[in-house]
Amino acid sequence: MYRKILILCLMLINAVCFGQKPLEMALNSGWLFHKSGDAEWMKATVPGTVHTDLLDNKKIPDPYYRNNEKQVQWIDKANWVYQKSFDVPAELMGMEHLELDFKGLDTYADVYLNEQLLFKADNFFVSWTAEVKKVLKAKGNVLRLLFHSPTAMGLEGLKKLGYALPSPNDQSKTGGMGKDQVGIFLRKPGYHFGWDWGPRLVTSGIWLPVGLKGWNTVRLSDVFYEQQKVSKDNATLLGHVTLQATKATEVELSVTSDGKLMATLKATVKAGTTTLDLPFEMLKPRLWWPHNLGTPYMYDFKVELAQGRVLRDVQYKKIGIRDIKVIQKPDSAGSSFYVQVNGVPVFCKGANYIPQDMFIPRVSDGKYKSLIDAAKTANINMLRVWGGGFYEKDLFYDLCDEKGIMVWQDFMFACSMIPGDSAYLDKIQKEASYNINRLRHRPSIVLWCGNNEIDLAWANYQEKAGWGWKQRYTDVQQADLWRNYQKVFTQILPDALKKALPAAFYWSSSPFNTKYAHATDVSAHGDMHYWGVWYAEHDFTAFADHVGRFVSEYGFQSFPEFATVKKFTIAQDWKIDSEVMLSHQRTDIGNQRIKTYMDRYYKTPSDFKNLLYMGQVLQAEGMKVGMETHRRAMPYNMGSLYWQINDCWPVASWSGMDYYQNWKGLHYFVKKAFQNLLVSPYVKNDQLNVQVVSDSLVTVQAKLSLSVTDFTGKVIWNKTQEVSIKPNASALLYTIPVIEVLKGNNKEDVFLAAKLAAKDHTLAENVLYFDRIKNVNLPLVKVKHSLKQLKNGVELSLSANALAKNVYLNFEGTEGHFSDNYFDLLPGETKKVSFITEEKAIGKLSVLTVRDTYKN
Ligand code: BMA
């Protein structure tokens, strides 16, 4: 096995190589684990978590099933030991330096090799290495990790501070911890302790791979290509190459991009760590673009480190060349807040992203890939890696880079005040440097943000603003907490960024306005979280009254589809207020809010299954109003990131895709609302307005057709006009009093269809109703369909002789995605929809419409 690894490593070495390149041996197999003190050892999976290992060994029930979460709360109170024995092949053993490399440990781990303590890990968000040359043997090494109970460590932190910190999402009671919210004292993903969409499952374990690395004389330890100036004509880069050497030695470096030599350097480095700079230029570089505006082109960069004819080390990186700025320019209303890519202001269309599982290591590469594919398919060009999770794995950023999805990167702080002792601050300093260094070459990352909603919640400069946190503390404590806040978010993080990535844009909190105004007045400056729809029960139309310069959060909940609910329930749970369904709804007000809005916009669905479907219709239709409103408001508003694209377990939440990556109605609506070309009709003050938004960078000639029709397809009013759609702009193309298009018909009996078409194909279409659907006289309708086999699914042709509202197609028991779903099938129209699946046998087709959910 080790021989094989070595042969593989040797094959990777350039043919001219005579010297010994660094070697690496994976140490991910053959692990055992047990609860500290227990006699029995069990097999463990690395990377993994204690919870998933206990599950695999059948020691605990599935924590996601029904209420099982409550039965596994003892796990985080215990200490756990992971152990592995290994031999080291002679080639590796003979190297001058041998280093154990843990890419990620969760979280407090004492690491022993052959009973010698190497280090004590205390931060989930960094990697850990130890030089082990002196401790390692050729045969029979024992690597042992003692994971301390994370909650016990958190309690120590709480005791040390002497008072509690606000941390409203920490579900300490579920964890049997009473009022003791301890998550914030650990550098560990906040959501492990519970969130308003997540359970409390506080993991421990080796969450990223482990390896043993060996090297001789000199090696590359870091390579960073700083993009100092980028235009379409020219890019000025500075390669920072960091080397480690055992003794003073001569080195030769060369940099190539796509096989072309860019720079070389000869130097003498001293023993220890040295950074060498290699400046170079690229003429007429192919630029990296978000996928909706161009190609996210990535160059293959290579650095070779040689000594004479001996090649010592090589490093490969994919690099996208682009100029990114966040523009805050004063204007008559306040100041702009937009991302500019290669000189072009870009409307950011996207979503907030949370971790994909409570048990991070079990998220397969395939799941990462299908999530990012789904984002791209839905015309998303930005994801926000939200601060209550973790700095994502490399694969996530690889995919965003490659697929042209911009990333808003939060540092990992959300909805809590923080401790400020020197050990904690030191930890943050290291964590920031580590993650900035790890991610700074990523073309997709366009913005670094200090935290989620902490500035808003504390609101230091405004006595009455905030979430009532300040008032719980004495003046001295308040001053301490704010000082801690400032140290981290206005010093440590921006300083670390300035040092490692000078061109990066830092934003201290989200939402945020300016230094003293916090998140107030965010409709004129900075970024905005608008939660009036949902938390304050505003109507969906209120999105229009709360447009900011960049809306980085807004959302509305729904339940997952019935097939998902069935996976974690039994029939007796099928009521939204059953104990089990309530434990998969983590916000106290959730069900009530859904009911309030359902009553406002729709008739009461007849049963549980229909309620699940109608919940998704409600969410999708409501969020559509938000997405379209934000886009119509460009260039004043330049961002629309809904909360949230995904789930971390099966739950009622604001997500557009459930835990199993089934697309909810919302995800299909996102796809349409975020198309580069949008036709968006709306009514304001009894006036029908038709606005067209284009993110395209070229002028588009099209035909705009509008028609008001009754539900059997009889045309009441129509209008067609040629339009010239300006690039990267929003324009009102048509306006008329509603009364004139109704022509005496009741508004409950008709709808408007809007379409933009080029010569032979549809560019964009939309439908508008003139009243809330509960008041609209939806006809009883039967949807007809025919099927055609495709290589990887089927194509459906659908038609109906009357309007079919929000047609929900489902091949029962078959996983896959439709090209469209939850759509309105217009009378007389034949709509083709494809269903793409990896499964061979496709289940029975069920078709549901809003009218079908009525009691009579
Ligand atoms: C936002 C987020 C999360 C939260 C969501 C829904 O403000 O930042 O903290 O889950 O709202 O309440």
Side-chain angles (χ1 to χ4, degrees):
M1 152 90 174
Y2 299 138
R3 266 190 79 81
K4 272 193 199 152
I5 295 170
L6 285 171
I7 290 168
L8 190 73
C9 293
L10 287 167
M11 275 164 52
L12 291 174
I13 297 171
N14 188 310
V16 296
C17 161
F18 304 120
Q20 185 65 77
K21 243 192 74 179
L23 293 178
E24 181 165 4
M25 172 174 126
L27 293 175
N28 300 314
S29 59
W31 285 87
L32 297 172
F33 84 113
H34 70 182
K35 181 145 113 18
S36 181
D38 279 3
E40 186 196 359
W41 286 91
M42 294 170 279
K43 281 193 177 155
T45 302
V46 168
T49 67
V50 176
H51 289 71
T52 40
D53 285 335
L54 288 168
L55 193 59
D56 290 345
N57 283 281
K58 305 204 170 16
K59 297 290 180 192
I60 57 165
D62 177 1
Y64 292 179
Y65 187 66
R66 302 196 75 215
N67 280 331
N68 288 348
E69 173 201 0
K70 298 202 173 71
Q71 293 179 41
V72 298
Q73 296 300 319
W74 59 274
I75 298 171
D76 60 68
K77 318 297 181 298
N79 298 331
W80 296 91
V81 184
Y82 277 69
Q83 187 164 304
K84 167 190 170 59
S85 317
F86 64 99
D87 300 337
V88 184
E91 294 93 325
L92 192 54
M93 200 61 201
M95 302 196 92
E96 280 174 63
H97 284 278
L98 290 167
E99 184 185 271
L100 268 180
D101 182 22
F102 294 85
K103 296 269 182 247
L105 294 172
D106 176 13
T107 290
Y108 283 88
D110 301 346
V111 179
Y112 296 87
L113 178 62
N114 301 333
E115 287 314 308
Q116 188 162 320
L117 178 67
L118 299 179
F119 59 87
K120 283 169 170 277
D122 59 4
N123 190 339
F124 181 100
F125 303 120
V126 299
S127 69
W128 300 88
T129 54
E131 173 65 56
V132 290
K133 177 79 182 170
K134 292 204 179 102
V135 197
L136 210 60
K137 309 181 281 190
K139 290 217 173 318
N141 294 286
V142 178
L143 188 54
R144 184 165 61 86
L145 280 76
L146 167 64
F147 288 94
H148 294 273
S149 148
T151 35
M153 298 309 288
L155 279 169
E156 272 184 26
L158 175 60
K159 213 161 101 201
K160 198 161 127 202
L161 182 68
Y163 55 87
L165 292 175
S167 189
N169 293 293
D170 186 322
Q171 296 164 15
S172 55
K173 287 203 187 92
T174 305
M177 313 265 307
K179 279 201 235 125
D180 292 338
Q181 298 177 311
V182 299
I184 189 55
F185 296 98
L186 315 179
R187 291 311 294 155
K188 174 172 170 64
Y191 83 108
H192 282 169
F193 294 83
W195 216 267
D196 55 4
W197 34 257
R200 181 188 184 281
L201 293 165
V202 186
T203 54
S204 287
I206 303 170
W207 77 274
L208 283 172
V210 189
L212 175 67
K213 287 179 168 173
W215 60 282
N216 286 343
T217 321
V218 61
R219 70 165 171 180
L220 295 168
S221 57
D222 187 41
V223 177
F224 170 53
Y225 305 95
E226 187 186 342
Q227 301 185 21
Q228 295 185 314
K229 228 170 133 219
V230 172
S231 73
K232 63 180 189 338
D233 299 322
N234 194 311
T236 310
L237 280 89
L238 188 57
H240 302 279
V241 179
T242 305
L243 312 169
Q244 275 177 295
T246 29
K247 53 175 194 270
T249 188
E250 280 201 359
V251 294
E252 288 148 41
L253 292 171
S254 68
V255 177
T256 55
S257 89
D258 285 359
K260 207 167 128 201
L261 186 65
M262 305 308 295
T264 54
L265 181 75
K266 268 191 189 181
T268 305
V269 294
K270 46 187 187 349
T273 304
T274 311
T275 299
L276 298 171
D277 290 344
L278 286 88
F280 60 98
E281 299 222 342
M282 298 172 77
L283 287 180
K284 300 221 175 299
R286 274 191 78 176
L287 299 177
W288 183 94
W289 286 94
H291 69 88
N292 66 316
L293 300 179
T295 305
Y297 187 77
M298 302 278 283
Y299 283 90
D300 284 315
F301 272 69
K302 179 165 91 172
V303 169
E304 287 186 333
L305 162 65
Q307 294 193 294
R309 296 197 55 208
V310 180
L311 181 65
R312 290 284 181 198
D313 205 351
V314 187
Q315 232 198 60
Y316 300 91
K317 257 186 189 152
K318 285 198 172 293
I319 299 291
I321 307 288
R322 87 288 187 260
D323 172 56
I324 298 274
K325 292 192 174 67
V326 174
I327 308 287
Q328 291 181 278
K329 209 166 58 199
D331 57 24
S332 57
S335 51
S336 67
F337 190 94
Y338 66 86
V339 176
Q340 181 179 285
V341 184
N342 304 325
V344 174
V346 177
F347 191 98
C348 297
K349 303 177 278 198
N352 288 269
Y353 166 87
I354 63 166
Q356 295 183 56
D357 207 310
M358 295 308 295
F359 310 122
I360 295 165
R362 78 171 174 188
V363 182
S364 65
D365 289 1
K367 258 193 122 181
Y368 273 96
K369 213 174 155 300
S370 50
L371 185 131
I372 300 298
D373 280 345
K376 187 177 167 195
T377 305
N379 297 308
I380 282 173
N381 68 6
M382 178 180 265
L383 290 173
R384 170 175 177 230
V385 179
W386 163 83
F390 65 105
Y391 306 91
E392 259 297 346
K393 287 174 32 176
D394 289 343
L395 177 62
F396 175 88
Y397 302 99
D398 287 346
L399 291 164
C400 290
D401 286 350
E402 181 195 319
K403 308 269 174 187
I405 293 186
M406 296 179 283
V407 173
W408 168 312
Q409 179 67 49
D410 281 4
F411 287 93
M412 291 303 127
F413 301 89
C415 305
S416 294
M417 295 310 281
I418 50 169
D421 55 276
S422 58
Y424 181 88
L425 296 180
D426 188 48
K427 229 186 262 187
I428 300 304
Q429 167 80 61
K430 292 196 176 104
E431 173 188 320
S433 303
Y434 171 77
N435 285 291
I436 296 165
N437 279 340
R438 181 169 84 87
L439 300 175
R440 60 186 168 169
H441 65 286
R442 299 286 179 182
S444 54
I445 300 181
V446 300
L447 186 159
W448 296 75
C449 174
N451 67 70
N452 177 68
E453 295 186 342
I454 304 183
D455 182 87
L456 157 82
W458 184 261
N460 194 64
Y461 302 109
Q462 287 161 338
E463 192 43 44
K464 295 232 168 66
W467 296 354
W469 289 2
K470 297 190 284 274
Q471 292 75 2
R472 298 182 207 164
Y473 297 95
T474 64
D475 288 351
V476 174
Q477 288 169 341
Q478 283 190 28
D480 280 351
L481 287 175
W482 186 243
R483 198 168 44 244
N484 297 343
Y485 178 95
Q486 286 189 302
K487 269 191 206 147
V488 171
F489 301 110
T490 66
Q491 279 172 31
I492 295 177
L493 300 182
D495 287 356
L497 208 51
K498 214 171 275 159
K499 198 163 144 216
L501 188 56
F505 179 83
Y506 176 74
W507 190 236
S508 67
S509 189
S510 177
F512 191 56
N513 167 346
T514 58
K515 202 166 166 200
Y516 298 110
H518 302 297
T520 52
D521 207 15
V522 278
S523 53
H525 309 267
D527 73 317
M528 169 194 247
H529 293 188
Y530 171 60
W531 281 101
V533 167
W534 183 258
Y535 282 109
E537 298 188 356
H538 292 170
D539 277 353
F540 293 130
T541 47
F543 279 119
D545 310 320
H546 297 88
V547 171
R549 310 310 299 253
F550 191 112
V551 187
S552 44
E553 275 190 21
Y554 61 103
F556 194 90
Q557 271 204 358
S558 71
F559 301 103
E561 64 181 50
F562 191 50
T564 295
V565 169
K566 280 202 281 192
K567 288 188 181 162
F568 67 84
T569 56
I570 53 178
Q572 75 183 61
D573 306 327
W574 294 346
K575 287 186 286 282
I576 59 159
D577 52 359
S578 68
E579 205 187 325
V580 168
M581 284 301 287
L582 282 176
S583 80
H584 290 252
Q585 163 59 283
R586 286 308 165 114
T587 171
D588 293 350
I589 56 155
N591 284 357
Q592 187 51 50
R593 279 293 183 286
I594 292 174
K595 187 174 181 328
T596 303
Y597 280 88
M598 189 70 83
D599 289 347
R600 207 180 279 176
Y601 290 97
Y602 295 97
K603 292 193 203 285
T604 310
S606 55
D607 61 21
F608 178 72
K609 216 172 138 184
N610 286 340
L611 173 63
L612 301 184
Y613 153 70
M614 281 306 298
Q616 293 205 15
V617 170
L618 173 69
Q619 178 195 33
E621 294 280 3
M623 291 294 284
K624 171 187 184 212
V625 178
M627 292 182 277
E628 291 190 13
T629 304
H630 295 156
R631 291 197 60 196
R632 288 198 305 259
M634 82 178 293
Y636 184 86
N637 174 59
M638 287 298 280
S640 182
L641 308 182
Y642 64 90
W643 183 269
Q644 69 211 63
I645 188 169
N646 62 326
D647 278 333
C648 64
W649 78 314
V651 67
S653 83
W654 299 264
S655 74
M657 251 188 283
D658 71 21
Y659 170 67
Y660 301 100
Q661 295 192 347
N662 297 306
W663 296 5
K664 291 181 174 178
L666 173 57
H667 200 75
Y668 289 101
F669 274 48
V670 170
K671 184 179 173 195
K672 281 182 259 191
F674 284 171
Q675 261 181 207
N676 265 4
L677 273 186
L678 169 74
V679 56
S680 178
Y682 64 101
V683 172
K684 196 174 175 195
N685 303 331
D686 298 324
Q687 188 79 11
L688 168 67
N689 300 311
V690 181
Q691 209 154 322
V692 170
V693 185
S694 171
D695 291 343
S696 164
L697 300 182
V698 293
T699 303
V700 176
Q701 303 298 339
K703 192 163 83 185
L704 173 68
S705 327
L706 306 170
S707 66
V708 173
T709 311
D710 78 5
F711 297 144
T712 63
K714 196 176 109 206
V715 177
I716 287 157
W717 172 90
N718 65 2
K719 171 91 200 161
T720 305
Q721 73 183 42
E722 294 296 325
V723 291
S724 173
I725 302 164
K726 289 212 185 78
N728 213 6
S730 164
L732 180 66
L733 292 190
Y734 193 76
T735 180
I736 185 171
V738 170
I739 198 152
E740 286 183 31
V741 301
L742 291 180
K743 293 213 167 152
N745 289 274
N746 289 332
K747 62 182 191 316
E748 297 80 18
D749 293 326
V750 299
F751 67 95
L752 170 96
K755 192 177 192 171
L756 270 180
K759 267 191 210 85
D760 52 358
H761 65 284
T762 302
L763 297 168
E765 48 192 346
N766 215 330
V767 182
L768 177 79
Y769 297 83
F770 295 95
D771 204 343
R772 294 179 176 191
I773 297 302
K774 73 170 183 183
N775 302 326
V776 165
N777 298 317
L778 292 181
L780 276 167
V781 59
K782 181 122 189 60
V783 175
K784 285 199 249 155
H785 74 268
S786 62
L787 285 173
K788 197 174 105 192
Q789 202 62 38
L790 299 176
K791 232 182 23 223
N792 49 354
V794 287
E795 186 185 81
L796 286 160
S797 286
L798 300 144
S799 62
N801 55 6
L803 173 86
K805 183 93 188 79
N806 298 112
V807 177
Y808 168 49
L809 304 168
N810 179 26
F811 284 106
E812 284 167 15
T814 313
E815 281 179 17
H817 302 304
F818 291 90
S819 54
D820 197 3
N821 212 347
Y822 295 85
F823 51 84
D824 293 353
L825 183 63
L826 308 187
E829 174 195 35
T830 301
K831 185 171 169 95
K832 286 198 187 338
V833 174
S834 54
F835 176 70
I836 305 301
T837 177
E838 283 169 10
E839 296 183 35
K840 284 270 164 310
I842 294 181
K844 185 172 149 265
L845 177 70
S846 73
V847 182
L848 194 62
T849 71
V850 172
R851 185 64 183 80
D852 300 330
T853 69
Y854 291 2
K855 286 190 177 129
N856 43 50

